[in-house]
Structure formats: structure tokens, C-alpha cells
Amino acid sequence: GFVSGHDHLIASDWMSYGVQLYDARSREEYHDLIRDYAEQNPDDAVIKGIGWNPAIYGGMPTFEELDILVPDRPAILLEFTIHDAWLNSRALEIGGITSDTPDPLPGVTYWNRDSDGNPTGTGIEFAWMPTYVATGAWDPAAMIPSSIERNFSAAAASGLTTFLNPGLVTPNVNTPEGMFEDLAVTMRLLEGMADVGKLDLRTFVQPLYKNPEANPLEFVERSLELSRRFDSDQLRCFGIKIHPEGNWTSRTSLMLEPYEGTTTAGAAGVKADRLEQVIVAANDKELDVVVHSDGSATIRATIDAIAASIKRGNTSSRNALHHLFWTHPGDLDRILEMNIAVNVTPLFSTDWTGQDLLARQRLGEARTAEQFAAYPKIVANGNRVSLSADVPSSPLEHVSPLFNMQTAMTLRDPSNADSVAFPPGRSGIALDAAIRAVTIDAAWQIRMEDRIGSIEPGKYADLVILDDNLFDVDPSAIADVAVYETIMGGRTTYSGR
């Protein structure tokens, strides 16, 4: 059975509602899609959407532009990574966003502003989430159950039997109290489903440490309580995720050197010393930690923190770097030497929805060639690497492990026949390594390799049956192989017959 090392399937469906902007290739196309959607959905109280890219748009969009397209009601459109959002003036008004509104975390979570301090219409790194709630768009009682039903069904149909959900993506993600409250409610909901045999995926969920004001020791204790409360092979609260920065696409990830053509190197909310405190405190309690690792400085700080924890005696911890976008060559060597585990979403480093344009724009040709998406070298070294889609940062239709395997093997976007391998001059990973990355290596990262991830006597009957032998299929056709049946614990969770 396939295993995902990083997908937000539990409570993320709400982020994918509305107009889909991924395929637009110009500002005009974005405008046409938004205008048409608003006209075709006159009863929607809030116009939602996802998928715009500032590189394709030609810069950050403004509320004035969106007001022309949606003048009569609030509009909130998520950028393709889901971290940033574009709002019209009605949404800003409802959210009380003005020149006097303080930024939640300057340099990381903030509102783009003009020279006079007035918001221009884009909220960075989830700054927009309270406004989303204020518009009435957030309905957890309906959205969380429907998200589980839709996303779990699609995942099972793709052959997935197990996944790690590294942090719930709800509008309370920035506040520890709100995050823990949402997590507890959701875990009880999932437990009820498991008790009656309706949980079709082995579900591993992590508390999310994002707010640097949270006391590390207290956070770890609360996470430990949840891990003791939910600790079955079907549903487990597993370790901790740290989200220390923003996103490189919005120049909020922390780099060792400034972004191309700027004097800023980004910022970190959870700075290096606090990052180390959380990792060490968690490892001391035998909790593994995964870290959202976009920027080269964040990756270095995370490696330093893992090294500090090992020096302290935590030699059996299975901490992991997730995303691994921009890695300095010296730090890549350390990842290889220390055999640090990694999770990647291969699609994010292809030319999908203009990522190639944005990479060159943000970091330049030289750094893109040297530092961007170095995971094939890590796979070749033998580190435990897992592949995943990171839904909802990529659409649910890309959740398939076969889709992600093909992407990692070809370095091209399987959904686009015109996709070109990126970065240039790279080689993808081999098929056997890709299979390991969605089975036994992903299982190892969540400490389940003795129970799932391979077909052996004594392990659970978690199986995926495919219509073709992958070793007989061209690498560019792996994503097209049909799933015949998915079995979790001996029970069929999907049948394509």
C-alpha cells in the first residue's frame, strides 16, 4: 500500500473551493477566469479561488484590480502555494484591515502595503486567515467532515493506505490554543470514524508549532499528551511539525543570501535558537520532528538543531526536512553525511504553474542550478526520502503516488504534455527508488516500517493492486497506470473493477 509522507487531507478541502486559476498563463487569463466565475455563481456570498502565481501575474495583484472583477461581495483568492491570498476591498473592510492593522509577525506574516502603509490587497503567510473567518467563509462543522470524506476517498482511489498530516490547515493555524483546540476536536472525529470501521487511511497527525511565542516545553507536553491519547496503528498523533518561516515564492523564507535583485534575505518567525529548543525538547520526550524547510538559512539552522539534539544523546530520533527547496552545497553534504530523512513534493520543483519562472526570478539562474530541489542526490545517497503531493498546496487530483513518482523520475509535470524537465541538466530518480519513497521509506519516517511498507509475513495487509507492472511501463506513463484495488488492513477501500 502506498504511504504519503506529507499531505493535509484532513481539514484542507476548504482551501480548494471556487475558481481554479492554476492553468492561467497571463494576467488577462486570471481576470477572465475570476470574472466568469463570479458571474456564474451569483449566490456565492464570498468568491473564493486558488492558483494564482505572482510570476505569471506580473507582480503582486491589488484589491483595486479585484474590485473590478468582483465589486459586489468579498473575494479571497489563494495563491498557488495556499500561503498567500489576494483580497478585494470588501473583504479587507470586513476583516478590518487598514493602515493601522498591525502585522501578526513582521517579515513573515504580514499585509503587503504601499509607501503610506495602506494594505494593497495581498496577505502573506496566512495573515489573511482571520479575515476569511470574518467573511463567514469558514464553516468547520461542515467543512472538516466533507474534507475528510472527499480527500480520503480520492487518496484511497490513488492507492494510498497511510499518510502523515503535518499540521491541520485551519484558520487557527497561527495560534497555539486555536490549533490545539481544532486538533483535539478533529482527532475525536477521526477516532469515531475508526471505531466504526469508516477510516479508510492510516492517519498520522502532527501538532503544528508556528507561533514563536509558544513555550517549547509546554508545547511538547501538550503534544505528548495527544500522542498518548491517540496511539493506534489506525490513528496516531505523531511527533511535531515546526513551520519556522514563510514561503520562498513570496520571499518570506529565510535565505543565506538576499533574494535576486533585493536586499532582503527573508525572515524567520521561529528563529534558530527557538527551533533548536523545540527539536531538543521534543526529542528528549521521544517525539520526532519534521521541519518546513524552504530557505537555505532555515535548512542550515535545522541541520544545526538536529546535530545539537544528537550531541545531547538523541541518536535514535527520526527528524526530517520537509520540502527542501534551497540547499547550500555545504549543507547538502551535511544532510548526506548525517543521513537526515527528507520529504519532497516533486511537482513543486518542475515548471508546474510557472514554478520555473518564479525560481529564476526569486533566486536567479546560478542558485537555481546549484541549490534548487537537490533531492535526487539525497535519494542516490540512500537517505530515507518520501514523496507526496502536499495537498492542498497542489490540487487533490495530484495526490496520486504514481503521479509523484513519475514527476520525480522525469522532473516534468505529468499533467502538462508540454512540460520541460526542470531544473535543466538534472536527472530524476530511478523507479525502484521512487517505489521505496512511497512505501517502505515513507513508512520508516513514521516508525511503521515493521508493520507496513512492504509485503512480508506478519505485516498488515495494506496493498495496492495496479493494472500494469511498473517496470514494464515507460517512465512518462507511470501516472497513467490505473489502480485496480486498494486494500487497507485486509479491507478493500477502493475498487476500480
Side-chain angles (χ1 to χ4, degrees):
F2 292 140
V3 182
S4 165
H6 188 126
D7 274 299
H8 304 273
L9 300 179
I10 294 172
S12 65
D13 208 25
W14 61 277
M15 291 185 138
S16 302
Y17 293 162
V19 56
Q20 304 297 298
L21 302 171
Y22 294 106
D23 293 335
R25 286 295 173 264
S26 69
R27 180 179 302 214
E28 292 71 23
E29 287 187 24
Y30 283 131
H31 288 183
D32 289 344
L33 287 169
I34 296 165
R35 184 188 299 106
D36 290 348
Y37 182 87
E39 291 175 354
Q40 293 164 11
N41 294 273
D43 296 331
D44 286 3
V46 181
I47 294 298
K48 310 180 192 76
I50 186 171
W52 59 272
N53 182 328
I56 292 174
Y57 194 85
M60 298 301 280
T62 67
F63 71 81
E64 291 98 340
E65 294 167 305
L66 192 50
D67 282 350
I68 295 172
L69 308 172
V70 188
D72 56 338
R73 52 202 145 145
I76 303 179
L77 308 174
L78 277 56
E79 178 243 15
F80 74 102
T81 70
I82 61 91
H83 288 253
D84 308 333
W86 175 20
L87 294 78
N88 67 357
S89 59
R90 181 64 181 135
L92 293 172
E93 179 185 348
I94 292 173
I97 308 303
T98 70
S99 58
D100 296 324
T101 302
D103 289 326
L105 195 60
V108 177
T109 304
Y110 62 91
W111 292 94
N112 270 323
R113 302 173 188 269
D114 62 21
S115 58
D116 295 322
N118 299 306
T120 57
T122 49
I124 305 301
E125 190 53 35
F126 303 138
W128 50 271
M129 280 187 166
T131 298
Y132 189 95
V133 175
T135 65
W138 173 237
D139 181 8
M143 288 177 171
I144 291 178
S146 67
S147 182
I148 292 171
E149 180 179 357
R150 178 172 180 260
N151 292 352
F152 279 41
S153 176
S158 77
L160 278 167
T161 57
T162 303
F163 80 107
L164 175 66
N165 198 109
L168 291 184
V169 184
T170 74
N172 290 314
V173 70
N174 288 323
T175 62
E177 285 302 320
M179 184 279 301
F180 274 116
E181 181 179 342
D182 285 353
L183 180 57
V185 169
T186 304
M187 293 299 286
R188 288 194 293 269
L189 172 64
L190 293 165
E191 184 179 48
M193 296 176 64
D195 288 344
V196 295
K198 292 186 176 180
L199 194 62
D200 288 345
L201 298 172
R202 300 190 191 280
T203 303
F204 288 65
V205 190
Q206 292 181 316
L208 177 62
Y209 188 96
K210 185 171 176 61
N211 190 318
E213 299 303 315
N215 181 287
L217 295 178
E218 292 176 1
F219 192 97
V220 167
E221 283 302 320
R222 294 189 70 172
S223 301
L224 189 61
E225 289 174 11
L226 285 170
S227 72
R228 290 167 176 163
R229 169 72 175 80
F230 301 99
D231 188 29
S232 74
D233 290 348
Q234 180 67 47
L235 177 64
R236 185 173 302 171
C237 198
F238 177 81
I240 291 172
K241 177 187 178 180
I242 303 176
H243 198 296
E245 56 186 351
N247 220 40
W248 68 268
T249 58
S250 57
R251 301 190 184 93
T252 52
S253 291
L254 187 61
M255 298 291 175
L256 293 169
E257 299 172 339
Y259 286 88
E260 194 77 1
T262 77
T263 58
T264 179
V270 182
K271 300 186 186 305
D273 56 347
R274 179 53 59 93
L275 181 70
E276 181 177 319
Q277 290 169 7
V278 178
I279 289 178
V280 168
N283 291 172
D284 284 350
K285 297 292 185 178
E286 299 183 347
L287 296 177
D288 298 327
V289 179
V290 310
V291 182
H292 171 106
S293 308
D294 273 16
S296 55
T298 298
I299 289 173
R300 177 168 295 180
T302 302
I303 297 170
D304 289 344
I306 292 173
S309 187
I310 292 172
K311 185 176 181 180
R312 184 180 173 88
N314 295 315
T315 56
S316 62
S317 297
R318 297 185 184 181
N319 305 309
L321 294 158
H322 280 218
H323 303 313
L324 201 84
F325 280 112
W326 302 95
T327 310
H328 186 278
D331 293 319
L332 177 60
D333 290 341
R334 296 172 70 199
I335 292 170
L336 303 180
E337 292 165 5
M338 295 169 65
N339 202 27
I340 298 173
V342 169
N343 170 270
V344 294
T345 298
L347 189 65
F348 291 169
S349 53
T350 67
D351 56 5
W352 174 68
T353 195
Q355 285 263 82
D356 55 332
L357 301 176
L358 204 55
R360 290 170 167 133
Q361 184 184 99
R362 295 294 190 253
L363 276 298
E365 292 284 355
R367 273 186 290 182
T368 296
E370 181 184 61
Q371 300 184 17
F372 193 51
Y375 68 89
K377 292 183 179 180
I378 299 173
V379 170
N381 188 62
N383 295 46
R384 301 279 190 171
V385 176
S386 62
L387 305 178
S388 57
D390 194 14
V391 171
S393 287
S394 62
L396 183 59
E397 57 264 30
H398 295 164
V399 74
S400 166
L402 294 170
F403 181 97
N404 290 294
M405 289 166 61
Q406 177 175 320
T407 309
M409 293 169 66
T410 65
L411 306 184
R412 298 193 302 272
D413 170 14
S415 66
N416 177 11
D418 297 323
S419 178
V420 177
F422 185 79
R426 297 274 187 90
S427 296
I429 69 176
L431 175 58
D432 58 347
I435 293 173
R436 290 185 61 87
V438 296
T439 55
I440 193 65
D441 284 357
W444 183 92
Q445 291 186 7
I446 56 172
R447 295 184 179 268
M448 286 286 285
E449 76 279 7
D450 59 335
R451 279 156 280 185
I452 64 171
S454 60
I455 303 174
E456 300 179 60
K459 287 192 173 185
Y460 289 120
D462 290 8
L463 306 165
V464 56
I465 303 171
L466 305 177
D467 271 351
D468 291 292
N469 180 350
L470 298 183
F471 289 91
D472 295 335
V473 176
D474 188 275
S476 63
I478 294 288
D480 297 325
V481 173
V483 173
Y484 183 79
E485 188 169 2
T486 306
I487 302 167
M488 191 270 295
R491 176 172 66 88
T492 295
T493 55
Y494 169 79
S495 176
R497 289 177 285 180

